[in-house]
C-alpha cells in the first residue's frame, strides 16, 4: 500500500513554469501542513533525495507531471481538457531518490488549486482556516495511503461564487481597518476563501468601491486572474465596469459624457463600455450584459412602455456584443457572458402576451441567462422544458443576505440549509447549471450557508437529491470540520444542535423584521417555545465557550457563539418585549420584571457584538456593525429598539386567573367578570391543564381553590401569590366513562372568586363515536390541525410522487413532489396524499394550507394546488391571490416572504365523523407544511406558527 | 330706618312651643353670629330689656309672632298656609324694652329654618360653614337695616334634595371615622347641610346601611323629622324600607318569608311593607311606590313579558296604596308618594304600541312620577303637554355622581353648571316641579354643583331662564360666599377661573374614563390645550394655597384646591401618558422624559388625596378613597394606571421633522422618507407655522435650514438638537400677491436632509375669488369648521327661536331653541340659523353636526334635527341611529355619554364658492355646538374635540 508521511522532511515541488497562483496556493497548503504537523515542508529540487514528496502541478504546465505521466504513474489524459479536475494520487518510488509521493495534478489552474486544498482538507484543515482562524487539530505522524487516491469529478455547476454586497458598514469598516480599503490585499483573503470553498467566481463589492480601479489600479483584477478567480460584475454593471465607475468618470468634459442614458449619450456610454472591456479583457471574466438605470432602477423611466424598454435593451446588448467581438474575441461564443433577469429585467426578457420579450433573441445566444430568487431565498422563474436548450444555459443569483425589498437582512447570516437545498437542487433540476452566485453581504457569519452553497454547486450528486436529511449530514460534516480541532465529540454534538436551532429560528423569522408582535405571547405556547430554544442556545453556547482554548476562540466565536447567541438573544429580547407589552396591557405586575429582562437583552446584544469585534485582536472588527433591530422600513431607516412598558400595581391585591396559553383572564370580581369554560381536556390524550394565578398589584394575595369534583386534582389549592403562581389541574380520567362537566372556583381571599367550568372526556372516547377512525385527526377547541407529513395514504404515479422533507420549514417537516420539475396541473394522473380527520359536526369549515412561500416557476401569476374533500370533485386553486399584478413585489409576495409561509384558505363542507382530504401534485415548486380546519364560527387563537397538531387516533 | 345691630348684647327668643328643630337651627345661627361678630347672643326672656333682639318662630307656633302680628308689626296672613316661606323683617321698638328687632316668621317649620339661615347668609356665613369649615369674615359692628326686609317666595320645586349613594368606600369610611357609622350623629351634619342649602328632601345612604334601623333604631328618622327634613327612599326601595332591610330580616322562619317576590311571597312582602309604613308613618315622608328586583334588577326575570311585568307592578302599587290608606292616611291624596321611572321601569310606565303601560293608571293618580336622567346628566323622557296635568306631578332623579353604566364617576365632583342649568331648567319648563333629587355620591367635593342644584330648585325665576351666562353669575356669587372670608378679590377672581376651568375639563371628559387615547397628542393642539389648562390650575392653585391662613385651609382645600388640582393633575397625567406613548411610538427620545413626568403625576395624585384627608385634623378623612384612574369597565374592576413607555435612542443621531400638530414626520433619510407639503398658510389669517426638530437618539445632531425663498423667515436656521427644538417659520405675506409655492430643507448635518414644500396665500386672497363672502367661513386643509354661535343670520318664528348658550359644552358655546318645550318637528314654520361657508371646489362634503348628547324627550327613538343646504329641500334627520333598540343603554347612548357629544354625519353636495346651510328648530332638547364639512377624500386628522373654527371673512 503506497503512502506518504508528513514528517519533518516532507518536500514540495515548485516549478517556475507553474501558474504563479498555483504556487501561491501551494504556499498556503504548506502553512496548513505546518499547522497540523508542526513541520514546514521543504522545497524539492530535482534529483535530490526525498523520503516524502508532494508533486503538484497542472497538465501541460509541469515537467514533473509530464514525467510521471510518461512513466505511467498517472494518466494526464484522464483529466486533460476537463474543467477543474485533478488527480490526487499516492505512489511509492515515483522518482529517483523519492520514496513516497503524493501527486496532485490539475487539469487546469483551478483543478490544481482544488487538488492542493483537497490535501489540506484531508489533513483536517478547514477551508476557513485563515478566514476564521479555524485551526486544525495538531497531529504527529500524519500518513496518507493510496486509499485516498482519486480523480476528481468536474464540478456540477460551472461558475460557483458569491457576491460581496451591502458592504457598508460591515465589510467596508472591516476592510479599511485591516487592509486600508477594499483593495487587492483584502481581495487576496477573499480569493483564498472562495477557492478553498471550491468556488471560482466572484461579484466584487460595488457600493462605494471599484474593483478594477482600487486595487490600487487593476491590481485586484490581476490578482484574481492569478489565483484563477473568474471575475464578473453584478446584475446591473455591464462590461466589467462597476456601477460607481461612471459616477467617478462622468462630467461635462468627460469622454464618457454626463448622462447614464443609452439614448441621450450613446457614444459616451459605448466608449465607457469599450474601455472597460479593453482594460479587463486579458483576465478570465464573465461579462455582464444589458443595462439598468442608475441605482437598481429600470433602464427607462417608470412611464416608458414595455416595448420601448425591450427595444432599447436589445440595442444595448447588440452594441455590447459588437464591442466584445471587437475587443475580447471575434469568436464571441467563447466569451462567457451573462444577462441577469433581475427585477424588471425579468419582464423585458419574458415580455407579455402582446409584446415579445428578449427570450430567444439572437443577441442572447450563448449568453448565460441569470435567473434570480425572490430576494428571500425562493427562486422565481425557472427554465421550462422548451427554454432549457438555450445556448449559454442558465444561472441563478441567490440571496443569503439582502439589502432591499421586501426587507433587508444583513446582520448575522442564518441560512437554513434545507431551504437552500430544496430550492437550489430544484433549480439545478430545472437546468440552472452554468452559474450559481450568492449574495453574502459582508461574507462574515455566512460561512456555514456559503460552504453548503458552494459544496452543493460543486457536487450536486453528493449533496442534492430528494432526501432533505442530507442537510443534517452536511451540517454534521461542517461542524466536524470547523470544530473537530477544538472540542470533544460531546461538545461538537451540542454545536450541531445549536447550529440547527439558531438557523431554525431564522427560518421562522429573520432578525431585522422580528418584533414583539410576531409570536403571540401566549397562544399555543409559541412564544415560550421560541424563548426556550433561545435560552437553551445561550446557555449551551456559554457553557461551551468556557471550555474553549484561547487560540480557538476566534473560530468558536465567529462561527458559532456570536451568530447563534446574537440570534438567540435577539429572539429572546423580542419575545420578552412582546410579553412585556402584553403583560402591561393586562396590568400584570410581572410586566415590570420582564421590562428589566428586555433591557438585559439589549445590553447583551451590544456585548456580543463587542466580544465578536474584539476577539483575536480585532480580527473581525467592523463585521458586527449592521443595524439589526426593529426594522419598520425595508431598510434600517427609522428602525426601533423594543419599547419597555412599565405599569403601576393596582391599589388592592388583584387576582387574574388565566390558562397559560389564553389571553383571556378572570378577575373573580363581582360585577364584570366573565366565568370561563375549559374544553381542552375533551382531547383524549390531554389530562391536565396549566393555569396561572397572576397578580395585578404589588400586594400579595392569598388564593384558595375549591371544587366538589373528585376527578379534578390540583397540585396546590392554596397559597400566596406575589407575582404569578402556576397551577396544574389534572383530571383523573379513570373516574368517568362519559363526557363530564365540573366546576371549580379560585378565590382571591377577601377580594373575589373566579368560576371555571371544566369539560373532560375519557381517554378513549371518540369524537363522533365513529368507527374506522384510525389515523384520523381529532377535532378539539374547534379545530383540526395536521402536519403534512402525517398523511394516512400516499399514491404516486409514474411521473412522480410525494416525499417527506425533514428537516424543513417553519415547523420541521413538509411534503413535496419529486421530480421537482414535474408539472401535473394539466395532467389526468396526479400523485396525491390522503389525510383523514374527524369533524365534530356537519357543516362548513375553513381549511388552511400552510405552504412554503415558493413562487411560480413560470412568468405568470399561476401556481396551483389541488385538493378534494370526501372524494368530491378536485378543486384546483391558484395560490396567487391577485392575478392582475405580477406576483413579484405584490403584497402577497411581501407578506409571504416576511412570514416565510404561504397560506391558502378554502371553505369546505364536512360531515360529523371521519372525513378524507386528498392533496394532489399540481404545479411544481409547491411544498406543503401543514393543514388545518376551523369550524365556521369558531375562532382560532391568533398565532404566527399556527395551531399545534391535533390528536391522532 | 329700622335696624338691628349684632352687638354683644343681642338676644334671641326661644320658645318652648316652637318646633324643637327650629330651636336647634337657631342655635346653629347663634354660632354663626358668633363666628362673624365674636359675640354669642343671649337668650331673651319675655319682658326683659334688650337693645337688639332676634324674634324667630313659626306661624301658630309662637306667642311673640302672634303678638307682633296682633300689633301690626308683621302680617302672618301673608305667609300662613304657604309652603316654606318666611317673613324677614327689621322693626324698631316692637316690644316693651326692645329697641330694635329682627323678626323671622316662618309659614311652617322649614320656612322658619330657611328664615334663620337667611340671616346667617346675610351676615356672610356660607351654608358650608360647618360642612367645610368655610369660615365667614370677622366683622365688628354688624348692622342690618330694614332694606333687607322681605317675605320669601314659595320654592319653585316642592321637594328638593339629594341622594347619598355609592357610599363606599368614601362616605362610609368618613362616617365610621367621625361618627362611628352612618348614624343619626352623621345625619345631623347632613340635615344641616341640606337645610342651609335650602333643600328639604333626602334619599339616605342604602348600600350597606338602613336609615330607619341604624340611628340607632329610628333615631335618624326621628331627627330628620325634627329638623323638618322630608325623608324618602331611593327608586327601588318601597314603603320607607331600605333595600338592605329585607336581606337582614328575611329567612325561612321570618315573618317576611325568604323570597323578594311578590308572586311567590306576596304575604311576606306585604307584611314587610306594612311594617315599614307603620314604623315611619309619623314622620314627614315621600313614600316610594312600586317594586324592582334585588340590586337594581327588574321585578321579573329577564325572560318575562312586558305585560306580565306591568300587571304585576300594578298589583304591587295597588297593594301599597291600600296599605298606605290603611296605615298612613285614609285620604291617600294627602300622602306624598313617588313612583320612579328608572331604567326598565320607564318601559313599564310607557308601555309600547301593543301593551299599555301604567301611564294614566288610576293607582298612580296623585303619585309623583319621578323621571330620571341618562345617568350622565341628560334628562330622558319629559312630560309632554298631554302628560303634564297628571295629578301628583313629576319629579326628576338626576346624577352628579354615578355608580353604574355607561361608566361610574364617583371621585371628585365636577358638575359643570351650564349643563345642569340647561337640563334642569328645561325639565322645569316641561313641568317637572314636584321633586328634584340629585345623586351626590358621598357628598364631599359636590358642594359647588349641589349648591346650584338646590338654589335652582328653590328659585328657578332667579337662576333659570334662557340666558346661560346666569351660571357665571352664580359661580361668582358662590365663590364670593365661600372664599370671601379668606382672600382678597384678586385671589377670588383666580378662584373663579379655576372653578370654571376644572369643571370645564370634566365637561369634556370625566376622571374615571379619561385615558391617554382620548385627546390626540398632537392634532389641533388639543392635548396641549388640556395640558395648559391643567398646568395653569395647578400653578395658580398652589400659589393661592401659600396665601391661605391655616384656619381657612380646610375650606380652601376641600372646595377648591383638592377638586381642582386632583382633576388637573389627573388630566395632566393622562395627557402626558398619551404623549409618552405617542412619542415612544415614534422613538422620540423625549418619551423617556415624559415617562418620568407621568410618574410625578401619579405621585402627585396620591399626595393630593393625602393632603385632603389630613387637613383640618382629618376632617375629610375617608372622602378621598374612590378609585378614579383608568376605568376599563363601567366600574373600577380591573382599572389601569397609565403605562409608561421607555425607549432606546437610535444608534445614530436621528432627526425627525414634524409640524407641531401633525403626527407625520420626516427623517430626511435617503430611501424611505416622504417629503411634506404644508398648506396651512393658505389660510388668509395664518402667516406662521411651528415645527419641531426632534431627536430619536441620545446623540445630538446639528441642523441647518436652507431655502432660497425670500418670503420664508425662520427664527433659527442652525443649531444643535439634543431632544427637541421648536422652529417658527413665518411667511412675509407682503412679498406676494398671489398664491406661492416654495421649498426649504432641514438637514441633519451628516445624516440626511428633509424637504418641505410650503404653499401660502396672501392675507386677502379669497378661496374661490367669490364676492359676497362676508361672514362666510373659509375652507383650508380640506375642511370648514363653524361654531354654532357664529351663524350669519337668525330667523325666529312666533313659537320660538334660537338663543346662544355661553358658556356651554365641550367648546364653550352652543345654540338652542327656546322655549325648551317647543317642538317643531311637525310644524310648517320653524326657526332657523343660517351659516355661510366657502367651499374650495364642487363636490361632496361630509357634514358633521356636533350636538350636546341630549336624549329624546319622548319614549321613542326619535330626536330630529333639520337642515338644508343652499336652499335645497329640508332634510329631517333622526339623530337616533338605531331605532330598533331603545336609545337608553344603546351603544350610541354609551358612546355619546362618554364623549359628551352627539355627532350626526351627513353627506352634502357643495359648489365652489359661497354655500349656505340652514339649521332648523325641530325636536326639543337639541343643542348644537359646532358644524364642520370635510371634502370627500380629505382626511380630517383624528381628534376628540374636532377641528378648530375656520377663518371667517
Amino acid at each position: 500500500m503506497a503512502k506518504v508521511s508528513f514528517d519533518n522532511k516532507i518536500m514540495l515541488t515548485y516549478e517556475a513554469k507553474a501558474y504563479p497562483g498555483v504556487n501561491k496556493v501551494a504556499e498556503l497548503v504548506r502553512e496548513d501542513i505546518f499547522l497540523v504537523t508542526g513541520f514546514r515542508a521543504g522545497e524539492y529540487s530535482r534529483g535530490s533525495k526525498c523520503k516524502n514528496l508532494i508533486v503538484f502541478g497542472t497538465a501541460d504546465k509541469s515537467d514533473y507531471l509530464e514525467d510521471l505521466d510518461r512513466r505511467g504513474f498517472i494518466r494526464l489524459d484522464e483529466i486533460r481538457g476537463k474543467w477543474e479536475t485533478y488527480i490526487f494520487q499516492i505512489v511509492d518510488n515515483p522518482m529517483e531518490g523519492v520514496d513516497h509521493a503524493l501527486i496532485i495534478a490539475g487539469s487546469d489552474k483551478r483543478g490544481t488549486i482544488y487538488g492542493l486544498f483537497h490535501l489540506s482538507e484531508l489533513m483536517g484543515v478547514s477551508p476557513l482556516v485563515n478566514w476564521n482562524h479555524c485551526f486544525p487539530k495538531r497531529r504527529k505522524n500524519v500518513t496518507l495511503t493510496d486509499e485516498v487516491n482519486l480523480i476528481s469529478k468536474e464540478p456540477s455547476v460551472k461558475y460557483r461564487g458569491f457576491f460581496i454586497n451591502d458592504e457598508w458598514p460591515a465589510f467596508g469598516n472591516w476592510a479599511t481597518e485591516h487592509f486600508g480599503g477594499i483593495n487587492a490585499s483584502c481581495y487576496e483573503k477573499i480569493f483564498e476563501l472562495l477557492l478553498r470553498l471550491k468556488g471560482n467566481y466572484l461579484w466584487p463589492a460595488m457600493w462605494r468601491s471599484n474593483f478594477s480601479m482600487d486595487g490600487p489600479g487593476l491590481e485586484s483584477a490581476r490578482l484574481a486572474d492569478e489565483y484563477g478567480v473568474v471575475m464578473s460584475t453584478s446584475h446591473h454593471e455591464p462590461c466589467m465596469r462597476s456601477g460607481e465607475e461612471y459616477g467617478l468618470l462622468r462630467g461635462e468634459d468627460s469622454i464618457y459624457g454626463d448622462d447614464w442614458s443609452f439614448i441621450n449619450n450613446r457614444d459616451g456610454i459605448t466608449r465607457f463600455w469599450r474601455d472597460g472591456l479593453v482594460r479587463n479583457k486579458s483576465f478570465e471574466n464573465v461579462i455582464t450584459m444589458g443595462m439598468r438605470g442608475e441605482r437598481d432602477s429600470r433602464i427607462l423611466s417608470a412611464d416608458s412602455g414595455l416595448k420601448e424598454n425591450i427595444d432599447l435593451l436589445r440595442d444595448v446588448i447588440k452594441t455590447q456584443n459588437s464591442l466584445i467581438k471587437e475587443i475580447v474575441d471575434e469568436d464571441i461564443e467563447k466569451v462567457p457572458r451573462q444577462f441577469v433577469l433581475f427585477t424588471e429585467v425579468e419582464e423585458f426578457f419574458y415580455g407579455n402576451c402582446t409584446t415579445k420579450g428578449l427570450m430567444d433573441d439572437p443577441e442572447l445566444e450563448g449568453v448565460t441567462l441569470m435567473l434570480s430568487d425572490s430576494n428571500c431565498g425562493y427562486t422565481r422563474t425557472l427554465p421550462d422544458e422548451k427554454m432549457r436548450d438555450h445556448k449559454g444555459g442558465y444561472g441563478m443569483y441567490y440571496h443569503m443576505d439582502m439589502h432591499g425589498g421586501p426587507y433587508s437582512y444583513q446582520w448575522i447570516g442564518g441560512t437554513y440549509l434545507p431551504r437552500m437545498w430544496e430550492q437550489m437542487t430544484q433549480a439545478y433540476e430545472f437546468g440552472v447549471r452554468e452559474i450559481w452566485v450568492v449574495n453574502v453581504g459582508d461574507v462574515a457569519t455566512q460561512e456555514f450557508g456559503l460552504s453548503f452553497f458552494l459544496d452543493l454547486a460543486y457536487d450536486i450528486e453528493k449533496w442534492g437529491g430528494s432526501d432533505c436529511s442530507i442537510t443534517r449530514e452536511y451540517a454534521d460534516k461542517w461542524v466536524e470540520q470547523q470544530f473537530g480541532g477544538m472540542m470533544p465529540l460531546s461538545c461538537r454534538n451540542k454545536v450541531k444542535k445549536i447550529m440547527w436551532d439558531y438557523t431554525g429560528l431564522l427560518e421562522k423569522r429573520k432578525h431585522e423584521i422580528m418584533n414583539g408582535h410576531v409570536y403571540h405571547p401566549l397562544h399555543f405556547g409559541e412564544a415560550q417555545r421560541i424563548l426556550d430554544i433561545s435560552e437553551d442556545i445561550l446557555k449551551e453556547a456559554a457553557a461551551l465557550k468556557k471550555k474553549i482554548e484561547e487560540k480557538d476562540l476566534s473560530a468558536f466565536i465567529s462561527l458559532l457563539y456570536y451568530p447563534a447567541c446574537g440570534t438567540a438573544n435577539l429572539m429572546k429580547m423580542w419575545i420578552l418585549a412582546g410579553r412585556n407589552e402584553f403583560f402591561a396591557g393586562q396590568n400584570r405586575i410581572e410586566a415590570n420584571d420582564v421590562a428589566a429582562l428586555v433591557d438585559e437583552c439589549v445590553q447583551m446584544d451590544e456585548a456580543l457584538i463587542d466580544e465578536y469585534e474584539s476577539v483575536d485582536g480585532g480580527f473581525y472588527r467592523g463585521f458586527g456593525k449592521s443595524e439589526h433591530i426593529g426594522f419598520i422600513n425595508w431598510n434600517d431607516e427609522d428602525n426601533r429598539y423594543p419599547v419597555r412598558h412599565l405599569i403601576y400595581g393596582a391599589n388592592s391585591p388583584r387576582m387574574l386567573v388565566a390558562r397559560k396559553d389564553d389571553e383571556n383572564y378572570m378577575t373573580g370580581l363581582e360585577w364584570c367578570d366573565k366565568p370561563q369554560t375549559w374544553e381542552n381536556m375533551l382531547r383524549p390524550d390531554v389530562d391536565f391543564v396549566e393555569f396561572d394565578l397572576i397578580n395585578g398589584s404589588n400586594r400579595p394575595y392569598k388564593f384558595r381553590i375549591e371544587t366538589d369534583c373528585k376527578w379534578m386534582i390540583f397540585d396546590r389549592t392554596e397559597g400566596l401569590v406575589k407575582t404569578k403562581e402556576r397551577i396544574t389541574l389534572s383530571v383523573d380520567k379513570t373516574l368517568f366513562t362519559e363526557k363530564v362537566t365540573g366546576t371549580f372556583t379560585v378565590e382571591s381571599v377577601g377580594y373575589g372568586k373566579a368560576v371555571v367550568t371544566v369539560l373532560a372526556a375519557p381517554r378513549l372516547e371518540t369524537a363522533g363515536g365513529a368507527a374506522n377512525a384510525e389515523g384520523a385527526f381529532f377535532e378539539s377547541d374547534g379545530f383540526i390541525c395536521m402536519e403534512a407529513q402525517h398523511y394516512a395514504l400516499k399514491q404516486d404515479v409514474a411521473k412522480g410522487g410525494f416525499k417527506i422533507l425533514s428537516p424543513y420549514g417553519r415547523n420541521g417537516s413538509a411534503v413535496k413532489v419529486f421530480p421537482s420539475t414535474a408539472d401535473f396541473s394539466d395532467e389526468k394522473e396526479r400523485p396525491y396524499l390522503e389525510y383523514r380527520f374527524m369533524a365534530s359536526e356537519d357543516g362548513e369549515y375553513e381549511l388552511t394550507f400552510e405552504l412554503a412561500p415558493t413562487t411560480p416557476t413560470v412568468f405568470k401569476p399561476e401556481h396551483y394546488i389541488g385538493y378534494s374533500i370526501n372524494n368530491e370533485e378536485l378543486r384546483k386553486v391558484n395560490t396567487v391571490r391577485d392575478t392582475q399584478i405580477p406576483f413579484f413585489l405584490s403584497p402577497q409576495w411581501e407578506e409571504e416572504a416576511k412570514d416565510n409561509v404561504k397560506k391558502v384558505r378554502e371553505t369546505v363542507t364536512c360531515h360529523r365523523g371521519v372525513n378524507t382530504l386528498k392533496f394532489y401534485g399540481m404545479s411544481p415548486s409547491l411544498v406543503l407544511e401543514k393543514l388545518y380546519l376551523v369550524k365556521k364560527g369558531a375562532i382560532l387563537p391568533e398565532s404566527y406558527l399556527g395551531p399545534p397538531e391535533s390528536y391522532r387516533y
Side-chain angles (χ1 to χ4, degrees), chain A residues 34-272:
Chain A
F34 172 74
L35 281 176
V36 175
T37 63
F39 307 132
R40 194 162 269 118
E43 294 187 17
Y44 176 76
S45 6
R46 188 177 285 268
S48 60
K49 223 176 150 63
C50 174
K51 199 171 172 196
N52 293 293
L53 179 66
I54 303 166
V55 182
F56 69 92
T58 311
D60 308 327
K61 284 284 209 176
S62 163
D63 295 337
Y64 290 116
L65 294 185
E66 302 289 340
D67 189 44
L68 290 165
D69 178 86
R70 228 171 7 249
R71 293 191 294 115
F73 284 94
I74 54 171
R75 288 186 54 215
L76 286 175
D77 277 352
E78 287 184 311
I79 56 167
R80 199 170 263 133
K82 288 195 178 166
W83 182 261
E84 297 176 353
T85 58
Y86 58 87
I87 294 167
F88 194 92
Q89 194 162 328
I90 290 169
V91 294
D92 287 342
N93 304 309
M95 295 188 270
E96 182 69 30
V98 177
D99 296 345
H100 310 287
L102 163 60
I103 303 165
I104 299 171
S107 64
D108 50 20
K109 193 195 296 175
R110 285 187 294 275
T112 317
I113 288 171
Y114 295 151
L116 281 163
F117 284 141
H118 180 65
L119 169 58
S120 295
E121 283 197 49
L122 276 181
M123 297 188 72
V125 177
S126 160
L128 305 177
V129 57
N130 291 328
W131 182 252
N132 300 89
H133 285 172
C134 194
F135 298 120
K137 193 167 181 164
R138 288 291 290 265
R139 293 154 69 195
K140 299 236 153 135
N141 311 322
V142 181
T143 299
L144 293 178
T145 70
D146 55 17
E147 285 177 341
V148 304
N149 287 6
L150 61 81
I151 296 175
S152 77
K153 62 179 293 257
E154 285 191 302
S156 309
V157 175
K158 190 167 187 187
Y159 295 105
R160 309 167 307 281
F162 56 81
F163 180 17
I164 300 170
N165 193 213
D166 320 336
E167 62 262 27
W168 287 95
F171 188 85
N173 278 317
W174 173 79
T176 304
E177 165 101 12
H178 295 83
F179 308 100
I182 305 178
N183 51 26
S185 317
C186 168
Y187 274 112
E188 190 159 15
K189 296 284 289 181
I190 300 291
F191 299 153
E192 177 190 347
L193 175 70
L194 175 68
L195 293 167
R196 281 186 185 264
L197 292 171
K198 295 192 270 297
N200 62 2
Y201 175 81
L202 186 73
W203 287 3
M206 39 62 79
W207 267 19
R208 272 183 265 156
S209 64
N210 301 287
F211 183 77
S212 294
M213 294 171 78
D214 301 341
L218 263 185
E219 182 56 19
S220 297
R222 194 203 58 73
L223 193 66
D225 195 64
E226 181 173 306
Y227 272 100
V229 171
V230 184
M231 290 305 302
S232 188
T233 46
S234 79
H235 50 94
H236 65 115
E237 303 174 298
C239 298
M240 301 311 294
R241 301 207 81 147
S242 75
E244 295 288 290
E245 277 188 52
Y246 190 72
L248 289 172
L249 303 175
R250 70 191 288 174
E252 277 182 35
D253 305 326
S254 166
I255 51 174
Y256 302 132
D258 196 14
D259 191 354
W260 183 255
S261 162
F262 198 65
I263 292 176
N264 303 335
N265 184 26
R266 186 184 184 104
D267 290 350
I269 296 298
T270 307
R271 182 158 188 178
F272 177 72

Side-chain angles (χ1 to χ4, degrees), chain A residues 65 143 224 231 237 241 356 473 532 647 671 695 704 712 723 776 816 951:
Chain A
L65 294 185
T143 299
M231 290 305 302
E237 303 174 298
R241 301 207 81 147
K356 187 169 159 42
E473 203 176 300
D532 288 345
I647 62 153
W671 295 98
N695 204 333
R704 187 184 300 135
M712 290 193 205
T723 304
K816 185 185 175 183
Y951 174 75

Side-chain angles (χ1 to χ4, degrees), chain A residues 337-540:
Chain A
R337 291 162 296 154
Q338 66 192 9
F339 178 60
V340 188
L341 313 186
F342 195 65
T343 313
E344 84 290 348
V345 182
E346 197 174 49
E347 193 185 4
F348 303 158
F349 176 75
Y350 287 101
N352 63 23
C353 51
T354 55
T355 308
K356 187 169 159 42
L358 292 166
M359 190 191 286
D360 299 328
D361 194 284
E363 292 296 335
L364 287 179
E365 198 176 302
V367 174
T368 301
L369 298 172
M370 196 84 147
L371 305 164
S372 52
D373 73 352
S374 65
N375 294 1
C376 300
Y378 292 94
T379 61
R380 290 157 64 187
T381 61
L382 292 172
D384 62 23
E385 267 189 83
K386 199 169 57 69
M387 290 165 67
R388 261 169 236 163
D389 58 5
H390 167 73
K391 207 167 167 188
Y394 291 88
M396 177 58 64
Y397 169 32
Y398 195 76
H399 287 85
M400 282 167 49
D401 176 289
M402 179 70 203
H403 176 81
Y407 63 95
S408 299
Y409 49 102
Q410 304 179 232
W411 187 45
I412 286 174
T415 300
Y416 186 66
L417 301 193
R419 189 212 298 199
M420 186 194 270
W421 169 87
E422 186 264 317
Q423 287 288 302
M424 292 308 297
T425 302
Q426 172 177 285
Y428 189 85
E429 281 192 62
F430 268 88
V432 179
R433 303 177 177 192
E434 199 65 18
I435 305 176
W436 283 17
V437 65
V438 61
N439 191 324
V440 289
D442 55 40
V443 192
T445 72
Q446 301 283 9
E447 294 85 350
F448 179 53
L450 179 60
S451 299
F452 182 68
F453 183 85
L454 293 175
D455 276 331
L456 189 64
Y458 184 81
D459 192 353
I460 196 116
E461 290 76 21
K462 179 164 184 190
W463 297 117
S466 63
D467 181 358
C468 193
S469 69
I470 188 85
T471 56
R472 278 207 184 277
E473 203 176 300
Y474 185 86
D476 288 355
K477 176 194 90 81
W478 189 87
V479 168
E480 291 297 328
Q481 190 174 53
Q482 317 317 326
F483 301 98
M486 71 174 84
M487 57 175 77
L489 181 62
S490 63
C491 290
R492 297 201 299 275
N493 287 340
K494 284 187 177 165
V495 170
K496 289 165 197 166
K497 180 168 188 311
I498 292 172
M499 291 304 292
W500 277 104
D501 283 350
Y502 106 78
T503 55
L505 288 175
L506 290 170
E507 179 69 355
K508 295 181 177 63
R509 191 86 179 177
K510 286 280 196 287
H511 303 103
E512 288 82 353
I513 54 166
M514 179 64 185
N515 62 60
H517 299 132
V518 171
Y519 297 98
H520 191 280
L522 299 179
H523 292 161
F524 306 130
E526 61 176 19
Q528 185 63 49
R529 284 205 308 282
I530 300 298
L531 187 61
D532 288 345
I533 294 167
S534 301
E535 292 194 320
D536 200 52
I537 290 171
L538 290 165
K539 199 185 81 192
E540 294 292 349

